[in-house]
């Protein structure tokens, strides 16, 4: 019994940590889908960019906290820039083109990352979070990485602050209104252009934060975020596309399930996770939160 | 007087058109000979062969995405299933022709398996689901049950033998691929002008309107998907015998994006768009390959091309050309003093 409990705890915490990062990406995907009915395939590339930015800032001698904050804020503006400069131009023509355009953006950003830093994986365990030590819990004899705990805690803080931003501030309410009905919101004096730009900003900033947090776990490389970005979409579908809270739960489920699958038989980890996603999108399209956003035809 | 000159100009146009087609066919038939005289002709011929294979694949994708309106970001899955099925069957000693037929049945069944549930999804969700299908298939190729795909080592492919003829040289493959591409384009054209094809196009234009005309939308979506999958799988089979080596890496998600971008760049929903896109993208990639350490630059340029194309001409090159023609005609009509209705 004690062994099983130990194993579950040992797998749970890294899974939850991964899940939190997926959840952060999922929030962005959900907000974007609610706001403009598109998906973002470039999220993974932005995650990688944010992680690299955070890492290189630390290399320049900045502290952990300040570099993460700077990377997050910088990526907020990257997201705004992408929306204003590229996506808003394409959105006007047909939303479906956005899918392919973000795919193109993903190729561009990822390869720009490769050009800047090369194809190395930087070991940032010591540099990024100087807590590569384990927390030992005596009662169940489990070792937990401090990086995992920090990542989970920071993700929770970020999620809660997004929640309060959307529900308690004036601009957050405007964003929700614009997502509900752009025309009505515009006639009430809300700038839909602005809310959409901020949606992209929040999405990119959360992605970059997730990238900075996963850096110490896997090492920082140019392609670090690709999987995380895709899993964000997956988690969002699992939770009910368009529902922010569902996306968090879905992301966490994906993270934990992925870790457990990885433990059972690691070569099929990708196949298992994607198959789970397919089962969900085909059999349970409204997701866990029963969000009726998904379009069937 | 005016009428006669118009007649003359139209007959002249016809002559131009016919002589153009004759010239194109002649060039297509003589290309291996011409390449034989050039310095690096073998290389050119090889690139042209790849263009043909990609044309077939993106034409297949076009049937599903361009004509039937269902996005597919997992094209590489069907491509790889087609390639692996033929090679595995051939290695097991099944005659080539029979193994091709069996492999196409496998691809069709696989396409049907994914199409039945996927037909109820739309746009982004279909994009996500097909991406997931691609990931699952690629994972299963990398770590195959029983090791039938030789996992990451990949498989070397023997030269194709059809009716006792060995397709070993690039020139022989060129003629085979030329015929196959022509047949595929012809098939697509015939499909589109059949009852089924028209129903598919109607489904794309408006699901509701098509449904109210008595078209079983779901059924035609499934048909379009299966036809498209078989064509992509067929391209995969040709690719295997052209490349002579297949591994899971050759069928990574990048291939799906490539087919998609070829179709989009050429013009989705047009017969020759995929061919145009395949020519353009393959040529651009090959030109960039010459630059030292070009890997990321190549991908970067490719991404930028796709992005700019989506931003400024989402209808692709064919769309831009027909747009230009339309505007030119309009301008000429306005200059002639008409109100743009007659003439």
């Amino acid at each position: 019994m004690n062994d099983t409990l130990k194993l579950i705890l040992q797998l749970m915490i890294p899974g939850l940590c991964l899940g939190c990062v997926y959840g952060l990406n999922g929030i962005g995907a959900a907000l974007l889908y609610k706001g403009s009915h598109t998906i973002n395939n470039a999220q993974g590339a932005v995650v990688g960019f944010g992680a690299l930015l955070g890492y290189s800032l630390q290399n320049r001698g900045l502290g952990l906290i300040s570099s993460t904050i700077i990377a997050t804020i910088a990526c907020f503006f990257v997201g705004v820039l992408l929306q204003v400069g590229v996506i808003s131009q394409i959105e006007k023509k047909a939303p479906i083109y956005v899918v392919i355009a973000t795919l193109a953006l993903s190729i561009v950003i990822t390869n720009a990352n490769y050009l800047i830093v090369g194809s190395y994986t930087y070991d940032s365990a010591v540099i990024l979070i100087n807590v590569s030590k384990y927390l030992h819990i005596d009662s169940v004899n489990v070792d937990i990485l401090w990086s995992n705990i920090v990542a989970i805690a920071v993700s929770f803080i970020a999620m809660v602050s997004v929640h309060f931003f959307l529900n308690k501030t004036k601009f957050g309410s405007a964003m929700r209104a614009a997502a509900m009905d752009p025309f009505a919101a515009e006639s009430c004096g809300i700038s839909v252009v602005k809310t959409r730009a901020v949606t992209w900003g929040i999405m990119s900033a959360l992605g970059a934060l997730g990238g900075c947090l996963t850096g110490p776990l896997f090492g920082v490389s140019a392609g670090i975020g690709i999987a995380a970005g895709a899993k964000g979409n997956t988690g969002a579908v699992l939770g009910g596309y368009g529902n922010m809270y569902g996306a968090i739960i879905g992301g966490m489920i994906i993270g934990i399930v992925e870790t457990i699958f990885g433990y059972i038989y690691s070569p099929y980890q990708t196949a298992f996770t994607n198959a789970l996603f397919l089962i969900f999108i085909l059999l349970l399209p409204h997701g866990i939160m029963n969000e009726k956003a998904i379009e069937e035809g | 007087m005016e009428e006669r000159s118009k007649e003359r100009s139209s007959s002249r146009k016809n002559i131009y058109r016919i002589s153009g087609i004759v010239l194109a066919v002649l060039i297509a038939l003589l290309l291996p000979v011409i390449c034989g005289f050039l310095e690096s002709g073998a290389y050119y011929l090889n690139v042209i062969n790849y263009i043909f294979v990609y044309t077939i694949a993106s034409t297949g994708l076009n049937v599903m995405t361009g004509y039937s309106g269902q996005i597919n970001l997992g094209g590489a899955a069907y491509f790889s299933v087609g390639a692996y099925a033929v090679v595995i069957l051939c290695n097991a000693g099944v005659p080539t022709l029979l193994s091709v037929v069996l492999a196409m049945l496998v691809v069709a069944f696989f396409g049907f398996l994914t199409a039945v549930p996927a037909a109820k999804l739309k746009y982004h969700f279909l994009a996500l689901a097909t991406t997931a299908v691609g990931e699952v298939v690629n994972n299963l190729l990398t770590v195959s049950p029983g090791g039938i795909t030789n996992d990451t080592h990949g498989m070397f492919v023997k030269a194709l033998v059809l009716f006792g003829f060995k397709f070993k040289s690039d020139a022989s493959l060129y003629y085979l691929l030329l015929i196959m591409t022509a047949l595929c384009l012809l098939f697509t054209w015939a499909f589109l002008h059949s009852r089924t094809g028209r129903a598919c196009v109607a489904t794309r234009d408006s699901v509701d309107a098509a449904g109210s005309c008595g078209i079983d939308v779901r059924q035609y979506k499934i048909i379009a998907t299966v036809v498209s999958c078989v064509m992509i799988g067929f391209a995969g089979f040709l690719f295997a015998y052209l490349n002579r080596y297949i591994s899971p890496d050759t069928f990574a998600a990048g291939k799906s994006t490539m087919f998609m971008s070829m179709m989009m760049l050429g013009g989705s929903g047009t017969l020759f768009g995929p061919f145009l896109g395949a020519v353009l993208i393959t040529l651009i990639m090959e030109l960039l390959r010459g630059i030292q350490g070009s890997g990321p630059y190549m991908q970067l340029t490719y991404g930028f091309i796709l992005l700019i194309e989506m931003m400024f001409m989402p209808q692709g090159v064919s769309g831009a050309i027909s747009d230009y023609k339309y505007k030119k005609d309009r301008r000429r009509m306005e200059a002639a003093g008409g109100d743009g209705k007659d003439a």
Side-chain angles (χ1 to χ4, degrees), chain A residues 33 37 39 85 90 93 97 99-101 103-104 107-108 111 115 267-268 270-271 274 277-278 281-282 294-297, chain B residues 117 119-120 122-125 128-129 132 135-136 139-140 143 145 257 264 296 299-300 303-304 307 310-311 314-315:
Chain A
Y33 186 73
H37 279 247
I39 61 170
I90 300 164
K93 287 167 187 152
Y97 292 139
V99 177
I100 295 155
L103 214 57
I107 296 172
V108 169
N111 286 289
L115 274 183
Y268 283 144
T270 328
N274 279 300
F277 166 69
L278 279 175
I281 200 172
L282 298 174
I294 205 159
E295 288 160 75
E296 292 179 58
Chain B
K120 75 172 185 182
K122 251 186 185 176
Y123 309 139
H124 327 295
F125 303 106
L128 287 174
E135 290 288 326
V136 170
N139 195 182
L140 288 179
V143 193
T257 319
M264 283 308 212
Q299 290 293 316
L300 202 63
F304 264 119
L307 189 63
M310 289 326 295
M311 279 178 80
Q315 297 295 324

Side-chain angles (χ1 to χ4, degrees), chain A residues 15-37:
Chain A
L16 202 64
C17 168
L18 259 187
C20 280
V21 174
Y22 296 163
L24 285 178
N25 287 317
I27 292 176
L31 288 181
L32 179 68
Y33 186 73
K34 251 293 162 45
S36 46
H37 279 247

Side-chain angles (χ1 to χ4, degrees), chain B residues 75-303:
Chain B
Y78 309 102
F79 197 65
S80 59
V81 168
Y84 270 102
V86 173
V87 173
I88 288 169
L89 283 170
C90 270
N91 282 356
V94 182
T96 316
L97 218 54
L98 184 64
S99 64
V100 171
V101 173
L102 284 177
M104 289 312 113
L105 284 177
V106 169
V107 178
F109 179 69
F110 177 54
F112 182 73
L113 219 60
T114 49
V116 169
K120 75 172 185 182
L121 295 175
K122 251 186 185 176
Y123 309 139
H124 327 295
F125 303 106
L126 194 57
L128 287 174
T130 46
T131 314
V133 169
E135 290 288 326
V136 170
V137 169
N138 202 44
N139 195 182
L140 288 179
L141 291 179
T142 316
V143 193
S144 56
I148 50 167
T149 65
N150 209 5
D151 296 358
T152 45
H153 305 298
M155 295 168 101
F156 286 97
V157 183
K158 293 189 200 100
L160 178 65
V161 181
L162 269 180
F163 307 115
F165 184 81
K166 207 169 188 183
F167 289 91
K168 205 167 182 194
S169 67
D170 273 331
S172 62
L173 272 170
Y174 170 85
Y175 286 116
L176 178 75
L177 289 169
L178 180 67
I179 293 166
M180 289 303 167
T181 311
L183 283 180
C184 274
L185 288 176
L186 203 67
F187 170 78
T188 314
W189 184 84
F191 176 75
L192 287 174
H193 288 78
S194 71
R195 195 187 160 85
T196 322
R198 282 197 301 269
C200 288
V201 175
T203 313
R204 171 197 67 182
D205 290 341
S206 166
V207 174
D208 299 326
S212 70
C213 289
I215 292 170
D216 186 345
V217 172
R218 206 172 138 74
Q219 183 192 332
Y220 283 104
K221 274 187 176 176
I222 293 170
I223 289 174
T225 309
V226 171
V227 167
S228 140
C229 289
V230 171
M231 279 176 80
I232 297 174
F234 191 70
F237 143 65
L238 293 172
F239 178 84
Y241 283 98
L242 176 62
N243 210 26
R244 301 287 292 280
Y245 171 71
I246 50 176
S247 77
D249 277 351
T250 30
F251 303 112
K255 271 272 188 306
S256 309
T257 319
M258 194 176 85
F259 296 150
M260 197 54 162
S261 47
M262 279 172 179
M263 191 198 74
M264 283 308 212
L265 184 62
S268 64
T270 57
L271 191 59
F272 289 101
F275 174 64
L276 214 59
V279 170
L280 284 174
I281 287 197
T282 315
L283 284 187
I284 290 166
M285 291 307 226
E286 290 301 324
L287 284 176
L288 288 171
R289 204 188 288 278
I291 305 167
Q292 199 74 35
S294 58
Y297 287 107
M298 209 164 97
Q299 290 293 316
L300 202 63
T301 319
Y302 170 55

